PDB file of all heavy atoms in Angstrom:
ATOM      1  N   TYR G  22       0.818  -1.208   0.000  1.00 87.00           N
ATOM      2  CA  TYR G  22       0.000   0.000   0.000  1.00 87.00           C
ATOM      3  C   TYR G  22       0.859   1.268   0.000  1.00 87.00           C
ATOM      4  O   TYR G  22       0.617   2.205  -0.779  1.00 87.00           O
ATOM      5  CB  TYR G  22      -0.922   0.031   1.225  1.00 87.00           C
ATOM      6  CG  TYR G  22      -2.183  -0.772   1.071  1.00 87.00           C
ATOM      7  CD1 TYR G  22      -2.340  -1.996   1.710  1.00 87.00           C
ATOM      8  CD2 TYR G  22      -3.232  -0.300   0.290  1.00 87.00           C
ATOM      9  CE1 TYR G  22      -3.506  -2.741   1.579  1.00 87.00           C
ATOM     10  CE2 TYR G  22      -4.405  -1.031   0.148  1.00 87.00           C
ATOM     11  CZ  TYR G  22      -4.536  -2.252   0.796  1.00 87.00           C
ATOM     12  OH  TYR G  22      -5.690  -2.982   0.649  1.00 87.00           O
ATOM     13  N   TYR G  23       1.854   1.299   0.879  1.00 90.00           N
ATOM     14  CA  TYR G  23       2.695   2.494   0.951  1.00 90.00           C
ATOM     15  C   TYR G  23       3.541   2.652  -0.300  1.00 90.00           C
ATOM     16  O   TYR G  23       3.731   3.781  -0.795  1.00 90.00           O
ATOM     17  CB  TYR G  23       3.576   2.459   2.204  1.00 90.00           C
ATOM     18  CG  TYR G  23       2.870   2.979   3.432  1.00 90.00           C
ATOM     19  CD1 TYR G  23       2.156   2.124   4.273  1.00 90.00           C
ATOM     20  CD2 TYR G  23       2.893   4.335   3.755  1.00 90.00           C
ATOM     21  CE1 TYR G  23       1.504   2.597   5.401  1.00 90.00           C
ATOM     22  CE2 TYR G  23       2.242   4.820   4.881  1.00 90.00           C
ATOM     23  CZ  TYR G  23       1.549   3.951   5.692  1.00 90.00           C
ATOM     24  OH  TYR G  23       0.889   4.430   6.808  1.00 90.00           O
ATOM     25  N   ASP G  24       4.069   1.563  -0.843  1.00 88.00           N
ATOM     26  CA  ASP G  24       4.873   1.653  -2.058  1.00 88.00           C
ATOM     27  C   ASP G  24       4.049   2.240  -3.203  1.00 88.00           C
ATOM     28  O   ASP G  24       4.506   3.127  -3.925  1.00 88.00           O
ATOM     29  CB  ASP G  24       5.395   0.270  -2.449  1.00 88.00           C
ATOM     30  CG  ASP G  24       6.400  -0.277  -1.452  1.00 88.00           C
ATOM     31  OD1 ASP G  24       7.182   0.520  -0.902  1.00 88.00           O
ATOM     32  OD2 ASP G  24       6.402  -1.492  -1.215  1.00 88.00           O
ATOM     33  N   ARG G  25       2.827   1.740  -3.381  1.00 90.00           N
ATOM     34  CA  ARG G  25       1.975   2.261  -4.456  1.00 90.00           C
ATOM     35  C   ARG G  25       1.602   3.720  -4.211  1.00 90.00           C
ATOM     36  O   ARG G  25       1.562   4.533  -5.143  1.00 90.00           O
ATOM     37  CB  ARG G  25       0.708   1.409  -4.581  1.00 90.00           C
ATOM     38  CG  ARG G  25       0.936   0.046  -5.230  1.00 90.00           C
ATOM     39  CD  ARG G  25      -0.393  -0.626  -5.562  1.00 90.00           C
ATOM     40  NE  ARG G  25      -1.156  -0.961  -4.363  1.00 90.00           N
ATOM     41  CZ  ARG G  25      -1.075  -2.128  -3.723  1.00 90.00           C
ATOM     42  NH1 ARG G  25      -0.252  -3.069  -4.172  1.00 90.00           N
ATOM     43  NH2 ARG G  25      -1.806  -2.364  -2.649  1.00 90.00           N
ATOM     44  N   THR G  26       1.329   4.053  -2.956  1.00 93.00           N
ATOM     45  CA  THR G  26       0.928   5.417  -2.630  1.00 93.00           C
ATOM     46  C   THR G  26       2.052   6.403  -2.889  1.00 93.00           C
ATOM     47  O   THR G  26       1.846   7.461  -3.493  1.00 93.00           O
ATOM     48  CB  THR G  26       0.477   5.497  -1.163  1.00 93.00           C
ATOM     49  OG1 THR G  26      -0.617   4.592  -0.962  1.00 93.00           O
ATOM     50  CG2 THR G  26       0.057   6.906  -0.792  1.00 93.00           C
ATOM     51  N   VAL G  27       3.251   6.076  -2.438  1.00 93.00           N
ATOM     52  CA  VAL G  27       4.395   6.962  -2.650  1.00 93.00           C
ATOM     53  C   VAL G  27       4.700   7.089  -4.139  1.00 93.00           C
ATOM     54  O   VAL G  27       4.984   8.191  -4.641  1.00 93.00           O
ATOM     55  CB  VAL G  27       5.626   6.454  -1.875  1.00 93.00           C
ATOM     56  CG1 VAL G  27       6.873   7.250  -2.253  1.00 93.00           C
ATOM     57  CG2 VAL G  27       5.381   6.548  -0.371  1.00 93.00           C
ATOM     58  N   ALA G  28       4.627   5.985  -4.867  1.00 91.00           N
ATOM     59  CA  ALA G  28       4.849   6.033  -6.314  1.00 91.00           C
ATOM     60  C   ALA G  28       3.838   6.954  -6.994  1.00 91.00           C
ATOM     61  O   ALA G  28       4.191   7.738  -7.886  1.00 91.00           O
ATOM     62  CB  ALA G  28       4.776   4.629  -6.903  1.00 91.00           C
ATOM     63  N   ALA G  29       2.571   6.885  -6.578  1.00 93.00           N
ATOM     64  CA  ALA G  29       1.533   7.739  -7.160  1.00 93.00           C
ATOM     65  C   ALA G  29       1.775   9.207  -6.830  1.00 93.00           C
ATOM     66  O   ALA G  29       1.593  10.090  -7.688  1.00 93.00           O
ATOM     67  CB  ALA G  29       0.156   7.299  -6.667  1.00 93.00           C
ATOM     68  N   LEU G  30       2.179   9.489  -5.600  1.00 94.00           N
ATOM     69  CA  LEU G  30       2.474  10.869  -5.221  1.00 94.00           C
ATOM     70  C   LEU G  30       3.625  11.424  -6.055  1.00 94.00           C
ATOM     71  O   LEU G  30       3.567  12.569  -6.543  1.00 94.00           O
ATOM     72  CB  LEU G  30       2.819  10.952  -3.729  1.00 94.00           C
ATOM     73  CG  LEU G  30       1.661  10.781  -2.747  1.00 94.00           C
ATOM     74  CD1 LEU G  30       2.185  10.638  -1.319  1.00 94.00           C
ATOM     75  CD2 LEU G  30       0.696  11.964  -2.835  1.00 94.00           C
ATOM     76  N   ARG G  31       4.660  10.622  -6.234  1.00 94.00           N
ATOM     77  CA  ARG G  31       5.803  11.078  -7.027  1.00 94.00           C
ATOM     78  C   ARG G  31       5.423  11.265  -8.491  1.00 94.00           C
ATOM     79  O   ARG G  31       5.873  12.205  -9.146  1.00 94.00           O
ATOM     80  CB  ARG G  31       6.958  10.092  -6.868  1.00 94.00           C
ATOM     81  CG  ARG G  31       7.572  10.157  -5.467  1.00 94.00           C
ATOM     82  CD  ARG G  31       8.669   9.130  -5.258  1.00 94.00           C
ATOM     83  NE  ARG G  31       9.305   9.340  -3.953  1.00 94.00           N
ATOM     84  CZ  ARG G  31      10.198   8.514  -3.425  1.00 94.00           C
ATOM     85  NH1 ARG G  31      10.561   7.417  -4.077  1.00 94.00           N
ATOM     86  NH2 ARG G  31      10.720   8.779  -2.237  1.00 94.00           N
ATOM     87  N   ALA G  32       4.588  10.382  -9.006  1.00 93.00           N
ATOM     88  CA  ALA G  32       4.142  10.510 -10.394  1.00 93.00           C
ATOM     89  C   ALA G  32       3.326  11.784 -10.593  1.00 93.00           C
ATOM     90  O   ALA G  32       3.298  12.355 -11.692  1.00 93.00           O
ATOM     91  CB  ALA G  32       3.321   9.290 -10.796  1.00 93.00           C
ATOM     92  N   ALA G  33       2.664  12.237  -9.517  1.00 95.00           N
ATOM     93  CA  ALA G  33       1.864  13.460  -9.579  1.00 95.00           C
ATOM     94  C   ALA G  33       2.693  14.711  -9.308  1.00 95.00           C
ATOM     95  O   ALA G  33       2.146  15.816  -9.234  1.00 95.00           O
ATOM     96  CB  ALA G  33       0.713  13.376  -8.580  1.00 95.00           C
ATOM     97  N   GLY G  34       3.994  14.548  -9.153  1.00 95.00           N
ATOM     98  CA  GLY G  34       4.877  15.695  -8.977  1.00 95.00           C
ATOM     99  C   GLY G  34       5.203  16.054  -7.545  1.00 95.00           C
ATOM    100  O   GLY G  34       5.825  17.081  -7.288  1.00 95.00           O
ATOM    101  N   HIS G  35       4.805  15.210  -6.601  1.00 95.00           N
ATOM    102  CA  HIS G  35       5.123  15.453  -5.192  1.00 95.00           C
ATOM    103  C   HIS G  35       6.355  14.632  -4.798  1.00 95.00           C
ATOM    104  O   HIS G  35       6.668  13.632  -5.429  1.00 95.00           O
ATOM    105  CB  HIS G  35       3.938  15.077  -4.304  1.00 95.00           C
ATOM    106  CG  HIS G  35       2.670  15.775  -4.691  1.00 95.00           C
ATOM    107  ND1 HIS G  35       2.497  17.138  -4.559  1.00 95.00           N
ATOM    108  CD2 HIS G  35       1.512  15.296  -5.225  1.00 95.00           C
ATOM    109  CE1 HIS G  35       1.297  17.475  -4.985  1.00 95.00           C
ATOM    110  NE2 HIS G  35       0.677  16.380  -5.396  1.00 95.00           N
ATOM    111  N   ALA G  36       7.023  15.064  -3.765  1.00 91.00           N
ATOM    112  CA  ALA G  36       8.235  14.365  -3.347  1.00 91.00           C
ATOM    113  C   ALA G  36       8.276  14.226  -1.833  1.00 91.00           C
ATOM    114  O   ALA G  36       9.136  14.825  -1.169  1.00 91.00           O
ATOM    115  CB  ALA G  36       9.479  15.089  -3.850  1.00 91.00           C
ATOM    116  N   PRO G  37       7.353  13.459  -1.244  1.00 96.00           N
ATOM    117  CA  PRO G  37       7.360  13.313   0.213  1.00 96.00           C
ATOM    118  C   PRO G  37       8.622  12.591   0.691  1.00 96.00           C
ATOM    119  O   PRO G  37       9.079  11.633   0.058  1.00 96.00           O
ATOM    120  CB  PRO G  37       6.109  12.476   0.486  1.00 96.00           C
ATOM    121  CG  PRO G  37       5.891  11.690  -0.771  1.00 96.00           C
ATOM    122  CD  PRO G  37       6.313  12.615  -1.876  1.00 96.00           C
ATOM    123  N   LEU G  38       9.181  13.074   1.772  1.00 97.00           N
ATOM    124  CA  LEU G  38      10.304  12.390   2.392  1.00 97.00           C
ATOM    125  C   LEU G  38       9.768  11.267   3.276  1.00 97.00           C
ATOM    126  O   LEU G  38       8.657  11.374   3.812  1.00 97.00           O
ATOM    127  CB  LEU G  38      11.138  13.379   3.207  1.00 97.00           C
ATOM    128  CG  LEU G  38      11.808  14.475   2.370  1.00 97.00           C
ATOM    129  CD1 LEU G  38      12.368  15.573   3.256  1.00 97.00           C
ATOM    130  CD2 LEU G  38      12.894  13.891   1.477  1.00 97.00           C
ATOM    131  N   LEU G  39      10.561  10.211   3.428  1.00 97.00           N
ATOM    132  CA  LEU G  39      10.084   9.006   4.093  1.00 97.00           C
ATOM    133  C   LEU G  39      10.951   8.682   5.302  1.00 97.00           C
ATOM    134  O   LEU G  39      12.177   8.546   5.185  1.00 97.00           O
ATOM    135  CB  LEU G  39      10.107   7.819   3.119  1.00 97.00           C
ATOM    136  CG  LEU G  39       9.430   8.046   1.766  1.00 97.00           C
ATOM    137  CD1 LEU G  39       9.577   6.809   0.887  1.00 97.00           C
ATOM    138  CD2 LEU G  39       7.960   8.416   1.936  1.00 97.00           C
ATOM    139  N   MET G  40      10.323   8.550   6.451  1.00 98.00           N
ATOM    140  CA  MET G  40      11.031   8.222   7.689  1.00 98.00           C
ATOM    141  C   MET G  40      10.426   6.951   8.277  1.00 98.00           C
ATOM    142  O   MET G  40       9.256   6.927   8.661  1.00 98.00           O
ATOM    143  CB  MET G  40      10.920   9.374   8.700  1.00 98.00           C
ATOM    144  CG  MET G  40      11.577   9.077  10.043  1.00 98.00           C
ATOM    145  SD  MET G  40      11.313  10.414  11.260  1.00 98.00           S
ATOM    146  CE  MET G  40      12.383  11.701  10.611  1.00 98.00           C
ATOM    147  N   GLY G  41      11.219   5.898   8.342  1.00 97.00           N
ATOM    148  CA  GLY G  41      10.765   4.663   8.954  1.00 97.00           C
ATOM    149  C   GLY G  41      10.994   4.686  10.457  1.00 97.00           C
ATOM    150  O   GLY G  41      12.022   5.186  10.929  1.00 97.00           O
ATOM    151  N   LEU G  42      10.036   4.165  11.207  1.00 97.00           N
ATOM    152  CA  LEU G  42      10.148   4.071  12.666  1.00 97.00           C
ATOM    153  C   LEU G  42      10.119   2.602  13.057  1.00 97.00           C
ATOM    154  O   LEU G  42       9.227   1.859  12.628  1.00 97.00           O
ATOM    155  CB  LEU G  42       8.988   4.803  13.348  1.00 97.00           C
ATOM    156  CG  LEU G  42       8.740   6.261  12.951  1.00 97.00           C
ATOM    157  CD1 LEU G  42       7.559   6.819  13.741  1.00 97.00           C
ATOM    158  CD2 LEU G  42       9.979   7.118  13.156  1.00 97.00           C
ATOM    159  N   ALA G  43      11.071   2.182  13.873  1.00 95.00           N
ATOM    160  CA  ALA G  43      11.133   0.766  14.232  1.00 95.00           C
ATOM    161  C   ALA G  43      11.897   0.585  15.532  1.00 95.00           C
ATOM    162  O   ALA G  43      12.672   1.458  15.954  1.00 95.00           O
ATOM    163  CB  ALA G  43      11.820  -0.034  13.126  1.00 95.00           C
ATOM    164  N   PHE G  44      11.669  -0.551  16.175  1.00 94.00           N
ATOM    165  CA  PHE G  44      12.534  -0.966  17.278  1.00 94.00           C
ATOM    166  C   PHE G  44      13.831  -1.505  16.675  1.00 94.00           C
ATOM    167  O   PHE G  44      13.828  -2.087  15.580  1.00 94.00           O
ATOM    168  CB  PHE G  44      11.858  -2.056  18.103  1.00 94.00           C
ATOM    169  CG  PHE G  44      10.549  -1.650  18.723  1.00 94.00           C
ATOM    170  CD1 PHE G  44       9.353  -2.188  18.268  1.00 94.00           C
ATOM    171  CD2 PHE G  44      10.505  -0.721  19.755  1.00 94.00           C
ATOM    172  CE1 PHE G  44       8.140  -1.823  18.831  1.00 94.00           C
ATOM    173  CE2 PHE G  44       9.300  -0.340  20.334  1.00 94.00           C
ATOM    174  CZ  PHE G  44       8.111  -0.891  19.865  1.00 94.00           C
ATOM    175  N   ALA G  45      14.925  -1.345  17.393  1.00 93.00           N
ATOM    176  CA  ALA G  45      16.215  -1.803  16.871  1.00 93.00           C
ATOM    177  C   ALA G  45      16.218  -3.295  16.568  1.00 93.00           C
ATOM    178  O   ALA G  45      16.901  -3.747  15.638  1.00 93.00           O
ATOM    179  CB  ALA G  45      17.325  -1.457  17.869  1.00 93.00           C
ATOM    180  N   VAL G  46      15.436  -4.075  17.312  1.00 92.00           N
ATOM    181  CA  VAL G  46      15.418  -5.528  17.099  1.00 92.00           C
ATOM    182  C   VAL G  46      14.768  -5.913  15.769  1.00 92.00           C
ATOM    183  O   VAL G  46      14.823  -7.071  15.362  1.00 92.00           O
ATOM    184  CB  VAL G  46      14.681  -6.264  18.237  1.00 92.00           C
ATOM    185  CG1 VAL G  46      15.422  -6.115  19.548  1.00 92.00           C
ATOM    186  CG2 VAL G  46      13.233  -5.805  18.355  1.00 92.00           C
ATOM    187  N   GLN G  47      14.156  -4.955  15.069  1.00 93.00           N
ATOM    188  CA  GLN G  47      13.533  -5.254  13.781  1.00 93.00           C
ATOM    189  C   GLN G  47      14.530  -5.236  12.623  1.00 93.00           C
ATOM    190  O   GLN G  47      14.159  -5.523  11.485  1.00 93.00           O
ATOM    191  CB  GLN G  47      12.391  -4.268  13.510  1.00 93.00           C
ATOM    192  CG  GLN G  47      11.193  -4.453  14.429  1.00 93.00           C
ATOM    193  CD  GLN G  47      10.138  -3.385  14.206  1.00 93.00           C
ATOM    194  OE1 GLN G  47       9.868  -2.549  15.078  1.00 93.00           O
ATOM    195  NE2 GLN G  47       9.526  -3.394  13.033  1.00 93.00           N
ATOM    196  N   GLU G  48      15.782  -4.897  12.924  1.00 91.00           N
ATOM    197  CA  GLU G  48      16.791  -4.916  11.853  1.00 91.00           C
ATOM    198  C   GLU G  48      17.010  -6.348  11.367  1.00 91.00           C
ATOM    199  O   GLU G  48      17.081  -7.280  12.180  1.00 91.00           O
ATOM    200  CB  GLU G  48      18.112  -4.330  12.341  1.00 91.00           C
ATOM    201  CG  GLU G  48      19.168  -4.270  11.252  1.00 91.00           C
ATOM    202  CD  GLU G  48      20.442  -3.567  11.680  1.00 91.00           C
ATOM    203  OE1 GLU G  48      20.455  -2.958  12.787  1.00 91.00           O
ATOM    204  OE2 GLU G  48      21.428  -3.620  10.922  1.00 91.00           O
ATOM    205  N   VAL G  49      17.097  -6.509  10.062  1.00 88.00           N
ATOM    206  CA  VAL G  49      17.318  -7.815   9.455  1.00 88.00           C
ATOM    207  C   VAL G  49      18.525  -7.738   8.527  1.00 88.00           C
ATOM    208  O   VAL G  49      19.051  -6.662   8.254  1.00 88.00           O
ATOM    209  CB  VAL G  49      16.080  -8.292   8.662  1.00 88.00           C
ATOM    210  CG1 VAL G  49      14.855  -8.367   9.553  1.00 88.00           C
ATOM    211  CG2 VAL G  49      15.803  -7.386   7.462  1.00 88.00           C
ATOM    212  N   ALA G  50      18.953  -8.895   8.032  1.00 83.00           N
ATOM    213  CA  ALA G  50      19.998  -8.921   7.012  1.00 83.00           C
ATOM    214  C   ALA G  50      19.447  -8.255   5.759  1.00 83.00           C
ATOM    215  O   ALA G  50      18.282  -7.884   5.697  1.00 83.00           O
ATOM    216  CB  ALA G  50      20.409 -10.360   6.736  1.00 83.00           C
ATOM    217  N   ALA G  51      20.270  -8.109   4.751  1.00 86.00           N
ATOM    218  CA  ALA G  51      19.896  -7.377   3.540  1.00 86.00           C
ATOM    219  C   ALA G  51      18.556  -7.839   2.981  1.00 86.00           C
ATOM    220  O   ALA G  51      18.337  -9.027   2.755  1.00 86.00           O
ATOM    221  CB  ALA G  51      20.982  -7.540   2.491  1.00 86.00           C
ATOM    222  N   ILE G  52      17.667  -6.876   2.777  1.00 85.00           N
ATOM    223  CA  ILE G  52      16.356  -7.157   2.205  1.00 85.00           C
ATOM    224  C   ILE G  52      16.474  -7.134   0.686  1.00 85.00           C
ATOM    225  O   ILE G  52      16.945  -6.136   0.119  1.00 85.00           O
ATOM    226  CB  ILE G  52      15.323  -6.113   2.666  1.00 85.00           C
ATOM    227  CG1 ILE G  52      15.149  -6.169   4.190  1.00 85.00           C
ATOM    228  CG2 ILE G  52      13.978  -6.317   1.965  1.00 85.00           C
ATOM    229  CD1 ILE G  52      14.339  -5.022   4.758  1.00 85.00           C
ATOM    230  N   PRO G  53      16.076  -8.196  -0.010  1.00 82.00           N
ATOM    231  CA  PRO G  53      16.156  -8.178  -1.471  1.00 82.00           C
ATOM    232  C   PRO G  53      15.222  -7.117  -2.036  1.00 82.00           C
ATOM    233  O   PRO G  53      14.062  -7.013  -1.632  1.00 82.00           O
ATOM    234  CB  PRO G  53      15.718  -9.595  -1.870  1.00 82.00           C
ATOM    235  CG  PRO G  53      14.964 -10.125  -0.700  1.00 82.00           C
ATOM    236  CD  PRO G  53      15.547  -9.468   0.510  1.00 82.00           C
ATOM    237  N   ALA G  54      15.749  -6.289  -2.944  1.00 74.00           N
ATOM    238  CA  ALA G  54      14.974  -5.188  -3.502  1.00 74.00           C
ATOM    239  C   ALA G  54      14.201  -5.640  -4.733  1.00 74.00           C
ATOM    240  O   ALA G  54      14.692  -6.429  -5.538  1.00 74.00           O
ATOM    241  CB  ALA G  54      15.896  -4.029  -3.864  1.00 74.00           C
ATOM    242  N   GLU G  55      12.976  -5.122  -4.850  1.00 71.00           N
ATOM    243  CA  GLU G  55      12.158  -5.328  -6.038  1.00 71.00           C
ATOM    244  C   GLU G  55      11.862  -3.968  -6.659  1.00 71.00           C
ATOM    245  O   GLU G  55      12.043  -2.922  -6.026  1.00 71.00           O
ATOM    246  CB  GLU G  55      10.862  -6.050  -5.669  1.00 71.00           C
ATOM    247  CG  GLU G  55      11.087  -7.457  -5.138  1.00 71.00           C
ATOM    248  CD  GLU G  55       9.786  -8.161  -4.809  1.00 71.00           C
ATOM    249  OE1 GLU G  55       9.306  -7.993  -3.676  1.00 71.00           O
ATOM    250  OE2 GLU G  55       9.251  -8.864  -5.682  1.00 71.00           O
ATOM    251  N   GLY G  56      11.396  -3.981  -7.885  1.00 64.00           N
ATOM    252  CA  GLY G  56      11.205  -2.738  -8.614  1.00 64.00           C
ATOM    253  C   GLY G  56      10.263  -1.762  -7.944  1.00 64.00           C
ATOM    254  O   GLY G  56      10.426  -0.544  -8.051  1.00 64.00           O
ATOM    255  N   HIS G  57       9.244  -2.269  -7.236  1.00 64.00           N
ATOM    256  CA  HIS G  57       8.258  -1.379  -6.619  1.00 64.00           C
ATOM    257  C   HIS G  57       8.680  -0.893  -5.234  1.00 64.00           C
ATOM    258  O   HIS G  57       8.010  -0.034  -4.660  1.00 64.00           O
ATOM    259  CB  HIS G  57       6.900  -2.092  -6.502  1.00 64.00           C
ATOM    260  CG  HIS G  57       6.925  -3.286  -5.599  1.00 64.00           C
ATOM    261  ND1 HIS G  57       7.159  -4.549  -6.066  1.00 64.00           N
ATOM    262  CD2 HIS G  57       6.766  -3.400  -4.259  1.00 64.00           C
ATOM    263  CE1 HIS G  57       7.130  -5.403  -5.040  1.00 64.00           C
ATOM    264  NE2 HIS G  57       6.901  -4.720  -3.935  1.00 64.00           N
ATOM    265  N   ASP G  58       9.762  -1.437  -4.686  1.00 69.00           N
ATOM    266  CA  ASP G  58      10.175  -1.054  -3.336  1.00 69.00           C
ATOM    267  C   ASP G  58      10.669   0.387  -3.305  1.00 69.00           C
ATOM    268  O   ASP G  58      11.400   0.830  -4.194  1.00 69.00           O
ATOM    269  CB  ASP G  58      11.283  -1.983  -2.835  1.00 69.00           C
ATOM    270  CG  ASP G  58      10.775  -3.380  -2.533  1.00 69.00           C
ATOM    271  OD1 ASP G  58       9.574  -3.526  -2.254  1.00 69.00           O
ATOM    272  OD2 ASP G  58      11.586  -4.327  -2.591  1.00 69.00           O
ATOM    273  N   VAL G  59      10.291   1.116  -2.269  1.00 76.00           N
ATOM    274  CA  VAL G  59      10.668   2.516  -2.110  1.00 76.00           C
ATOM    275  C   VAL G  59      11.624   2.627  -0.927  1.00 76.00           C
ATOM    276  O   VAL G  59      11.240   2.340   0.208  1.00 76.00           O
ATOM    277  CB  VAL G  59       9.423   3.393  -1.859  1.00 76.00           C
ATOM    278  CG1 VAL G  59       9.829   4.847  -1.680  1.00 76.00           C
ATOM    279  CG2 VAL G  59       8.430   3.250  -3.012  1.00 76.00           C
TER     280      VAL G  59
END
């Protein structure tokens, strides 16, 4: 949902900055990237 939403905002000429919030224990090894990932 967020990936599609951010992509749509950017396509419409907006450039929202993105800040992720998490507990430190949520860190994982490298996440494989896909084309839609933001």
Side-chain angles (χ1 to χ4, degrees):
Y22 278 105
Y23 276 91
D24 293 324
R25 286 191 294 269
T26 301
V27 172
L30 287 170
R31 290 177 174 172
H35 305 293
L38 296 168
L39 309 178
M40 177 184 288
L42 307 180
F44 300 110
V46 295
Q47 291 175 246
E48 183 174 351
V49 302
I52 298 170
E55 296 181 273
H57 64 267
D58 289 335
V59 179

